[in-house]
Amino acid sequence: MNEISPKKVRTSTLQEFKVAGRRIACLTSYDALTAGIFDTAGIDVLLVGDSAADNMLGYSTTLPITLDEMIPFGRAVARAASRALVVVDLPFGSYETGSVDALANAIRVMKETGASAVKLEGGQRSADTIRAITEAGIPVMAHIGFTPQSVHSLGGFKVQGRGDSAEELIADALAVQQAGAFAVVLELVPSELADQLTKQLTIPTIGIGAGNGTDGQILVWTDFAGLHSGKPRKFVRQYANLFETLIGAAKTYRDDVMNGSFPNQDEDF
């Protein structure tokens, strides 16, 4: 495996990774603390996802989060990451109304966060918007397959691109590439189709629930770190169980406060 590890990851670096066969490691992040940790660990791309809606703000879906709410998350991550490429999601409602609105909101994200790129959902339907933003000099990461902002029209969390719908997904992938996207997220896509797209496209593919054949992988960091109770989704591998760790730590702290053992003399002034 090629261990290319540049001092600064840029959109062009991801293209170099694809050509070299070097896998791309991506995680979401919403704050300076985790961004600094993941950056130090060598994560290549930090996505300030609209998943901040349900992971940070307590919404039940990604739909309610606004651009005003996204920008502070993006600013915090961009300030903390010195190596990773920072990409900020354009939330639902910030680009669907047309290319003019989308470009204005993308410009705002770039100016107010310090991020290096934006991400938006949709294939053929978003191609003109992607083209308008990239022609203005703003890099765009595309997102096709299952697109969370369209969860209601897609009928829930379902795998996309099976059977006859595979041709439409291929058309979506080609459309975003032609429009100028520097990479594309493939979410909940059959692994065989994701492999085909990865070979067919010249831009990097980033998988989430799309098998092992994509150029890179991304997970929501609270999923990969086990911050949620209950069984994770099929495509999530938990690399820690912070939910149980923090529950245990909080209970121990509460007990120490209640029984008077915290603080002790060594912790006094």
Side-chain angles (χ1 to χ4, degrees):
M1 181 181 66
N2 195 324
E3 291 287 350
I4 300 171
S5 186
K7 291 183 178 179
K8 178 64 179 176
V9 178
R10 305 184 186 278
T11 57
S12 59
T13 312
L14 301 189
Q15 185 65 46
E16 294 169 5
F17 287 170
K18 180 180 178 78
V19 172
R22 193 273 208 191
R23 299 293 183 95
I24 303 164
C26 316
L27 283 173
T28 67
S29 178
Y30 319 106
D31 61 272
L33 180 61
T34 57
I37 292 169
F38 300 154
D39 192 61
T40 300
I43 299 301
D44 300 309
V45 178
L46 294 177
L47 172 65
V48 186
D50 58 2
S51 48
D54 46 333
N55 283 281
M56 298 290 111
L57 298 180
Y59 295 124
S60 59
T61 71
T62 63
L63 296 179
I65 197 168
T66 66
L67 193 62
D68 285 342
E69 289 171 321
M70 285 293 300
I71 284 175
F73 293 126
R75 186 182 298 130
V77 172
R79 284 174 173 171
S82 59
R83 175 186 173 277
L85 179 75
V86 177
V87 182
V88 177
D89 260 339
L90 292 180
F92 178 70
S94 66
Y95 61 93
E96 289 86 351
T97 54
S99 298
V100 173
D101 289 343
L103 177 56
N105 288 326
I107 290 171
R108 185 182 170 200
V109 167
M110 299 295 285
K111 287 176 68 69
E112 296 186 27
T113 68
S116 296
V118 299
K119 182 174 79 65
L120 57 84
E121 297 180 0
Q124 298 168 79
R125 66 180 171 85
S126 295
D128 288 343
T129 298
I130 292 171
R131 185 173 293 105
I133 296 174
T134 57
E135 287 180 351
I138 299 173
V140 176
M141 177 180 282
H143 184 157
I144 63 174
F146 174 74
T147 46
Q149 293 176 11
S150 303
V151 61
H152 297 305
S153 64
L154 294 175
F157 291 83
K158 296 180 179 180
V159 174
Q160 304 295 308
R162 283 179 169 156
D164 293 340
S165 63
E167 291 300 321
E168 183 176 357
L169 193 62
I170 292 170
D172 282 339
L174 293 173
V176 299
Q177 176 176 270
Q178 182 64 31
F182 69 87
V184 57
V185 173
L186 305 178
E187 182 166 358
L188 296 186
V189 173
S191 59
E192 185 176 347
L193 179 56
D195 291 353
Q196 177 185 342
L197 288 172
T198 300
K199 293 181 177 72
Q200 188 170 355
L201 296 175
T202 59
I203 61 174
T205 58
I206 308 298
I208 178 167
N212 195 37
T214 53
D215 296 306
Q217 299 290 332
I218 188 166
L219 285 174
V220 173
W221 91 261
T222 51
D223 290 338
F224 114 106
L227 263 178
H228 301 293
S229 61
K231 185 178 179 180
R233 291 182 179 137
K234 180 180 180 180
F235 59 82
V236 173
R237 181 182 296 180
Q238 288 188 335
Y239 287 83
N241 191 342
L242 295 189
F243 181 84
E244 293 297 334
T245 298
L246 290 175
I247 286 283
K251 287 180 176 178
T252 301
Y253 167 72
R254 177 186 179 277
D255 290 345
D256 288 351
V257 171
M258 296 293 288
N259 65 32
S261 64
F262 175 79
N264 61 30
Q265 288 185 343
D266 292 337
E267 293 154 339
D268 288 345
F269 292 97

